[in-house]
């Protein structure tokens, strides 16, 4: 198993992925239902609605659950569970186009994942094995999500962010979590200062042909369906 496999297994077992996946799909569908271009709504207002709804509803969804700590960090939802730190970001363009330099909090997770050693727990004299189950080697997990502005169908990726300011991919590992990746469409324009940072340059791609993975028939859990290809209906 890879480090991402380990993270997915733990977060799935603790119920984080099931709750979070359902919330993302619910928020996108409701935002699309409320979207009214004739009243002045546009891609910017759609993206802002999704962001604020995920932040506020996510805080309420996970607050008070055993073994899970949730907070708002840098105007974004952060979920801490079993040593993993999960944060959500809207996706503009392809999955490899995401950047972490938008804020100190965004970049910090990628930088920490990219360190050769694991914080202060790598010193043999500090008994690193004691902390191995508490602080995973690459503990920062990122969910990159987008959705169709008309249908509300969502797509999300899950991965381990990497500090790529010099070169290379922004991910150590990343894979499709649910939905179907975009094959057409153009990134939204950057409108600086219209919404709070770090969201001004990361809004959902409008009017994409997306299809969500259905929950597993036996368990109804998003984690159980992780990694399956989406099936198109006739």
């Amino acid at each position: 198993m890879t480090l991402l496999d380990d993270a997915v297994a733990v977060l799935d077992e603790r119920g984080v992925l099931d709750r979070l996946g359902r919330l993302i799909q619910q928020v996108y569908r409701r935002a699309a239902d409320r979207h009214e271009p004739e009243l002045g709504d546009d891609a910017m207002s759609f993206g802002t609605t999704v962001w604020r709804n995920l932040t506020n509803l996510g805080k309420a969804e996970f607050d008070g659950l055993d073994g899970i700590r949730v907070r708002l960090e840098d105007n974004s939802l952060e979920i801490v569970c079993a040593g993993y730190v999960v944060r959500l970001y809207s996706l503009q363009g392809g999955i490899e186009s995401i950047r972490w330099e938008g804020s100190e909090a965004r970049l910090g997770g990628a930088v920490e994942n990219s360190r050769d050693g694991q914080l202060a727990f790598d010193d043999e004299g500090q008994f690193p094995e004691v902390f191995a189950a508490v602080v995973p080697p690459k503990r920062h997990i990122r969910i990159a999500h987008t959705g169709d502005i008309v249908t509300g169908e969502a797509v999300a990726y899950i991965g381990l962010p990497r500090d790529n300011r010099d070169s290379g991919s922004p991910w150590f590992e990343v894979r499709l979590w649910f939905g179907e990746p975009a094959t057409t469409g153009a990134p939204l324009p950057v409108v600086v200062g219209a919404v709070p940072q770090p969201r001004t340059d990361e809004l959902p791609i409008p009017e994409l042909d997306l299809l969500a993975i259905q929950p597993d028939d036996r368990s109804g859990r998003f984690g159980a369906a992780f990694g399956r290809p989406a099936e198109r209906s006739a």
Side-chain angles (χ1 to χ4, degrees):
M1 292 180 67
T2 67
L3 291 177
L4 184 55
D5 290 330
D6 292 340
V8 168
V10 171
L11 295 172
D12 184 31
E13 181 182 4
R14 304 296 179 92
V16 173
L17 295 184
D18 184 47
R19 288 175 176 270
L20 190 56
R22 292 184 185 280
L23 179 63
I24 292 171
Q25 289 202 331
Q26 178 189 76
V27 163
Y28 269 99
R29 285 171 179 158
R30 288 182 177 177
D33 287 343
R34 299 199 304 261
H35 189 69
E36 299 185 68
E38 63 274 15
L39 296 182
D41 287 342
D42 57 12
M44 178 69 74
S45 60
F46 180 80
T48 303
T49 296
V50 168
W51 163 46
R52 295 310 303 162
N53 285 181
L54 281 176
T55 299
N56 295 327
L57 294 177
K59 179 70 164 58
E61 177 76 21
F62 289 95
D63 206 16
L65 295 180
D66 290 342
I68 298 176
R69 181 166 58 89
V70 62
R71 65 175 182 168
L72 302 184
E73 179 70 16
D74 194 32
N75 291 318
S76 298
L77 181 69
E78 180 176 280
I79 303 166
V80 181
C81 178
Y84 290 103
V85 181
V86 182
R87 298 189 69 189
L88 283 67
Y89 292 109
S90 297
L91 181 63
Q92 179 192 21
I95 188 62
E96 290 292 330
S97 69
I98 197 166
R99 302 187 66 83
W100 309 117
E101 297 98 309
S103 71
E104 183 177 346
R106 285 174 59 89
L107 183 60
V111 170
E112 185 175 326
N113 273 5
S114 302
R115 288 173 178 156
D116 292 334
Q118 182 179 315
L119 302 180
F121 303 139
D122 296 295
D123 191 328
E124 291 295 332
Q126 294 180 338
F127 306 101
E129 67 277 2
V130 175
F131 299 96
V134 179
V135 182
K138 294 187 185 333
R139 69 188 185 114
H140 288 275
I141 306 296
R142 298 295 180 259
I143 306 296
H145 58 87
T146 188
D148 190 302
I149 201 170
V150 175
T151 68
E153 294 294 338
V155 61
Y157 295 83
I158 185 170
L160 301 170
R162 172 183 175 272
D163 180 8
N164 69 326
R165 287 173 294 176
D166 291 335
S167 63
S169 172
W171 305 94
F172 283 105
E173 294 181 67
V174 65
R175 64 187 69 164
L176 183 66
W177 178 15
F178 62 80
E180 189 168 293
T183 56
T184 61
L188 296 182
V190 175
V191 183
V192 178
V195 295
Q197 293 290 342
R199 293 297 201 226
T200 54
D201 61 343
E202 293 185 319
L203 296 175
I205 303 171
E207 301 184 18
L208 302 182
D209 182 17
L210 302 175
L211 189 63
I213 288 179
Q214 298 300 315
D216 186 88
D217 291 338
R218 295 166 295 176
S219 66
R221 299 173 65 191
F222 272 87
F226 181 87
R228 294 181 181 175
E231 296 181 359
R232 270 188 199 278
S233 57

